[in-house]
Amino acid sequence: MAGRARVEDAPERLVQAAIGLLAEQGPSALKARAVASASGLSTMVVYSHFGGIPELMSAVADHGFKELGTAFARVPLTEDPIADLFAMALTCRRQARENPHLYDLMFGLSTRATYRPLPDTDRRLSGHSPAFREAHAHVTAACERLVHSGRVERQDPEAVAAQLWSYVHGYITLELAEHFAEFDDAVAQVLLPMGVNFVVGLGDARERAQASHEAGARLYDSIVQGR
């Protein structure tokens, strides 16, 4: 019943309603009354379960990271760690394109709104929540496999993961803001060559890096076709 102060599945319903509002109307729609109405619950339920919209937004971001982690887990481990990493990069891009406003919220971006972390560290988003760390652990593990594969110079896998995370999300942010509109295929013309350059910089051979990224694109396509 909408007026009940406690509903067993209320938190999940509120999170899903907020995600839907983000996708359909953008961040301006994230108001307690609108979220409550979209979830079929009362406004009081928003406050009783989350305290307010900032806390609800943190829960929404965590939900996004859990979905991203689940998507990363669907990327099979092959004998080619670079192919696996590129498939993960394409997976992250797909998640971002499916709900750009949710992506902005998850990563504290402001290409379409202001989602900068609040001064209160308890309310900070990406980089601090267990949900983020669990998703990012897939990237770090893949980078550790790369470092131990012998294809690149020995270095700190976490530093490699941070560098890779930076270039992938830099690309995604610019693409979502339509900075690559002049390219016929920005993935093939920008993201893939940038990935090749990245691993060559780490010590891989260029021809081998190119082949691995092309294999990663095929791996990603097989995942999408199997969804």
Side-chain angles (χ1 to χ4, degrees), residues 29-114:
L30 287 186
K31 297 179 173 62
R33 182 172 296 180
V35 174
S37 176
S39 64
L41 299 167
S42 70
T43 304
M44 183 59 67
V45 176
V46 177
Y47 296 104
S48 63
H49 283 285
F50 292 103
I53 289 298
E55 293 84 0
L56 174 59
M57 289 171 69
S58 291
V60 169
D62 280 348
H63 184 90
F65 282 120
K66 288 175 184 175
E67 288 193 331
L68 181 60
T70 299
F72 283 160
R74 293 196 184 104
V75 177
L77 298 181
T78 72
E79 295 181 356
D80 189 336
I82 292 176
D84 299 350
L85 281 167
F86 192 59
M88 292 172 68
L90 293 172
T91 296
C92 191
R93 172 182 177 265
R94 184 188 72 236
Q95 296 286 108
R97 289 169 63 87
E98 287 177 351
N99 192 336
H101 288 295
L102 175 59
Y103 174 81
D104 286 351
L105 174 61
M106 291 162 61
F107 290 97
L109 301 176
S110 54
T111 52
R112 280 157 293 281
T114 299

Side-chain angles (χ1 to χ4, degrees), residues 197-209:
N197 291 337
F198 174 71
V199 294
V200 168
L202 294 177
D204 197 24
R206 180 166 294 276
E207 287 186 6
R208 196 173 182 188

Side-chain angles (χ1 to χ4, degrees), residues 190-203 206 209-210 213:
V190 180
L191 182 60
L192 191 151
M194 187 161 52
V196 172
N197 291 337
F198 174 71
V199 294
V200 168
L202 294 177
R206 180 166 294 276
Q210 179 75 28
H213 278 77

Side-chain angles (χ1 to χ4, degrees), residues 138-189:
H138 292 280
V139 179
T140 304
C143 287
E144 188 167 1
R145 289 177 55 231
L146 171 60
V147 168
H148 290 96
S149 69
R151 291 186 57 174
V152 300
E153 297 175 5
R154 295 300 292 267
Q155 49 207 295
D156 180 6
E158 290 192 7
V160 174
Q163 294 168 44
L164 182 142
W165 198 245
S166 298
Y167 99 71
V168 169
H169 290 289
Y171 170 87
I172 291 173
T173 300
L174 291 172
E175 184 185 43
L176 291 179
E178 300 184 358
H179 284 281
F180 301 137
E182 70 273 20
F183 292 99
D184 295 328
D185 185 346
V187 169
Q189 295 171 271

